[in-house]
Amino acid sequence: QIKDSATVTRDVLEQHFSDLKGTLKKLLDERLTSLLQEVDVIEQESIKPLDECQKLIEHGVSTADELLREGESAVDGDVGQQNEKLCNFTKKALHIQLDSLPEVPSLVDVPCLSAQLDDCLLTILKNQIFRHGTVASRPPVQLEEFVEKPGGILVRWCKVDDDFVAQDYRLQSRKSTASHFEDVYVGSETEFMVLHIDPNVDYQFRVCARGDGRQEWSPWSVPQTGRTSLVPHEWTTGLEGYSLSSRRNIALRNDSQSSGVLYSKAPTYFCGQTLTFRQVLFGIETVGQPDRRDSLGVCVEQRNGDDSLQRDKAVCISTNGAVFVNGKEMTNQLPAVTSGSTVTFDMEVVQLGSCSNEGGNFKLRVTISSNNREVVFDWVLDQCCGSLYFGCSFSYPGWKVLVF
């Protein structure tokens, strides 16, 4: 690990400073081009009136020289032509202003270009460059735990540097066959449920943190591999009153007049041999008009024809917060299910009597949590249940339920 991370760090440093040199050269070239263009513009704008003044002076000198030659010719001619030439010379001289010159700018008004270069830039760059980049022997956060979930992995991480005050965390993942990591979470929590995980496939994870009041991220943690063997939860397709997402883990109650209970595709919640088992989470994304028959819960079997899970062999919570066990409402009540609510079911198996083909008492200790409140009760069944279905029923459109 030390050699591999040192090799990667060298490569990263060399590539970064190579890119930095290329970028700096490009920026310097662009600045040089800009300054040279300024010189060209000032030169052209300043020399134009001087060129025009020079042309006027040269034209006046040429005209005076030509007039002088005509005067000499008139004086040197014979007597017969002399009067006529002198008359023409006099008329022409009267129309030419030889005693005026164009306005010439004073010397202080004529630009004199120079380059102003501040040597302190090198000092500033030197100080910034010498402070740029650090090499850390270990990252301030590390991955701590992977918990298998149906179609997902709950990833937990922790700080390993007590002096580091974290403001945000950034979790990335990639499939074992992928070449690049992708962001899956950025926030202040120290755990995150990564969904859309293919069962029995290795995924790599890494996490970093951003210090309080800082913009840059810390070094990445050591990548670790996680996987889940649990198949994802899916809703049953084909029920007219519900529309499903492509992965069939989100159910939307549509505006169809058809009603009924939407069950899971299979009894994918197992509560068999282990003493403690955590059931699926229902994340309510949007809500519609509530109805007293609306419910979310688990059941022993699918049963067509029911319009609610408030029946026997089922436990559920209604959208107003009432809890039903085998169709009977409990005295304890939870907060109403609203937009953004999360309802969780936790079950602990407690078996009473024998569990055989003839049946027997089978008890599940159920904890239903919603909005930081919970109720705990025992659910007694007349048969062993190695796995359970989950379901929901809504009377009006607009309810959208994510199960994972």
Side-chain angles (χ1 to χ4, degrees), residues 157 167-170 185-190 217:
W157 54 89
Q167 174 181 304
D168 293 304
Y169 297 98
R170 181 182 179 188
Y185 173 76
V186 176
S188 59
E189 300 296 327
T190 56
W217 292 99

Side-chain angles (χ1 to χ4, degrees), residues 36-47 113:
L36 291 176
Q37 289 175 347
E38 286 188 37
V39 172
D40 293 340
V41 171
I42 295 174
E43 181 184 25
Q44 292 172 6
E45 291 180 350
S46 301
I47 207 168
L113 280 71

Side-chain angles (χ1 to χ4, degrees), residues 16-275:
H16 174 76
F17 277 85
S18 176
D19 294 341
L20 195 60
K21 285 190 287 186
T23 303
L24 286 174
K25 184 179 183 305
K26 181 180 178 182
L27 292 174
L28 289 172
D29 289 342
E30 290 178 355
R31 182 57 179 163
L32 174 60
T33 301
S34 175
L35 292 173
L36 291 176
Q37 289 175 347
E38 286 188 37
V39 172
D40 293 340
V41 171
I42 295 174
E43 181 184 25
Q44 292 172 6
E45 291 180 350
S46 301
I47 207 168
K48 183 177 179 181
L50 295 177
D51 287 340
E52 293 176 350
C53 181
Q54 181 179 359
K55 290 179 180 178
L56 289 175
I57 293 174
E58 291 176 348
H59 178 70
V61 171
S62 175
T63 302
D65 185 56
E66 181 181 351
L67 185 63
L68 178 59
R69 288 195 297 270
E70 289 185 12
E72 291 176 347
S73 175
V75 172
D76 296 338
D78 54 49
V79 177
Q81 297 178 345
Q82 191 175 36
N83 290 335
E84 183 180 355
K85 288 183 178 181
L86 285 174
C87 182
N88 292 335
F89 170 79
T90 302
K91 291 180 180 179
K92 189 173 184 179
L94 291 174
H95 289 87
I96 298 176
Q97 297 180 349
L98 297 177
D99 58 347
S100 64
L101 289 174
E103 184 179 358
V104 179
S106 63
L107 189 59
V108 295
D109 294 331
V110 178
C112 180
L113 280 71
S114 63
Q116 305 299 311
L117 302 174
D118 193 349
D119 292 337
C120 71
L121 176 62
L122 293 177
T123 303
I124 296 173
L125 287 176
K126 181 180 179 180
N127 293 334
Q128 292 293 328
I129 289 172
F130 283 167
R131 289 199 301 264
H132 180 68
T134 58
V135 176
S137 60
R138 56 180 56 87
V141 291
Q142 290 285 6
L143 295 169
E144 184 178 29
E145 184 182 16
F146 298 109
V147 181
E148 291 187 56
K149 296 292 182 179
I153 300 175
L154 177 62
V155 183
R156 294 192 175 105
W157 54 89
C158 63
K159 286 197 311 174
V160 294
D161 183 354
D162 294 335
D163 296 330
F164 184 83
V165 180
Q167 174 181 304
D168 293 304
Y169 297 98
R170 181 182 179 188
L171 178 67
Q172 289 189 336
S173 72
R174 70 177 178 188
K175 210 170 184 177
S176 57
T177 55
S179 57
H180 299 291
F181 282 93
E182 294 182 355
D183 287 346
V184 293
Y185 173 76
V186 176
S188 59
E189 300 296 327
T190 56
E191 67 176 34
F192 182 73
M193 172 75 76
V194 183
L195 297 176
H196 310 320
I197 297 293
D198 295 331
N200 301 311
V201 175
D202 286 340
Y203 286 79
Q204 276 198 322
F205 298 89
R206 65 181 185 181
V207 67
C208 66
R210 181 161 49 195
D212 188 22
R214 302 183 69 89
Q215 295 296 322
E216 70 277 7
W217 292 99
S218 73
W220 290 105
S221 66
V222 177
Q224 295 188 38
T225 301
R227 64 158 50 195
T228 181
S229 59
L230 306 176
V231 297
H233 291 307
E234 295 182 7
W235 297 103
T236 298
T237 59
L239 189 61
E240 186 177 347
Y242 294 87
S243 303
L244 306 183
S245 64
S246 60
R247 289 182 176 266
R248 296 182 290 279
N249 61 340
I250 299 177
L252 172 65
R253 181 65 169 94
N254 56 37
D255 55 4
S256 170
Q257 297 300 316
S258 175
S259 62
V261 178
L262 176 66
Y263 293 101
S264 57
K265 179 181 178 181
T268 50
Y269 169 55
F270 295 94
C271 55
Q273 301 302 316
T274 57
L275 293 176

Side-chain angles (χ1 to χ4, degrees), residues 193-391:
M193 172 75 76
V194 183
L195 297 176
H196 310 320
I197 297 293
D198 295 331
N200 301 311
V201 175
D202 286 340
Y203 286 79
Q204 276 198 322
F205 298 89
R206 65 181 185 181
V207 67
C208 66
R210 181 161 49 195
D212 188 22
R214 302 183 69 89
Q215 295 296 322
E216 70 277 7
W217 292 99
S218 73
W220 290 105
S221 66
V222 177
Q224 295 188 38
T225 301
R227 64 158 50 195
T228 181
S229 59
L230 306 176
V231 297
H233 291 307
E234 295 182 7
W235 297 103
T236 298
T237 59
L239 189 61
E240 186 177 347
Y242 294 87
S243 303
L244 306 183
S245 64
S246 60
R247 289 182 176 266
R248 296 182 290 279
N249 61 340
I250 299 177
L252 172 65
R253 181 65 169 94
N254 56 37
D255 55 4
S256 170
Q257 297 300 316
S258 175
S259 62
V261 178
L262 176 66
Y263 293 101
S264 57
K265 179 181 178 181
T268 50
Y269 169 55
F270 295 94
C271 55
Q273 301 302 316
T274 57
L275 293 176
T276 303
F277 202 92
R278 190 171 298 278
Q279 215 253 4
V280 297
L281 299 172
F282 297 91
I284 311 303
E285 296 190 352
T286 59
V287 296
Q289 180 182 348
D291 186 275
R292 63 178 182 83
R293 297 167 298 172
D294 294 345
S295 51
L296 296 162
V298 296
C299 56
V300 175
E301 60 189 4
Q302 293 179 333
R303 200 163 74 184
N304 298 327
D306 294 330
D307 60 357
S308 175
L309 279 175
Q310 301 168 15
R311 59 170 178 82
D312 63 332
K313 295 186 178 182
V315 294
C316 64
I317 176 176
S318 67
T319 52
N320 64 5
V323 178
F324 292 84
V325 182
N326 291 328
K328 296 181 180 179
E329 184 175 355
M330 297 182 61
T331 56
N332 293 336
Q333 184 162 329
L334 292 169
V337 177
T338 59
S339 178
S341 294
T342 297
V343 180
T344 64
F345 287 74
D346 300 291
M347 295 192 181
E348 180 182 350
V349 178
V350 181
Q351 184 172 322
L352 297 178
S354 62
C355 184
S356 62
N357 293 335
E358 288 77 20
N361 290 330
F362 188 74
K363 180 162 60 175
L364 298 174
R365 186 154 296 156
V366 182
T367 302
I368 304 179
S369 303
S370 176
N371 293 331
N372 297 321
R373 291 182 56 187
E374 65 179 31
V375 294
V376 182
F377 56 90
D378 288 342
W379 181 23
V380 179
L381 300 171
D382 60 2
Q383 65 188 65
C384 292
C385 295
S387 57
L388 295 170
Y389 291 89
F390 57 85

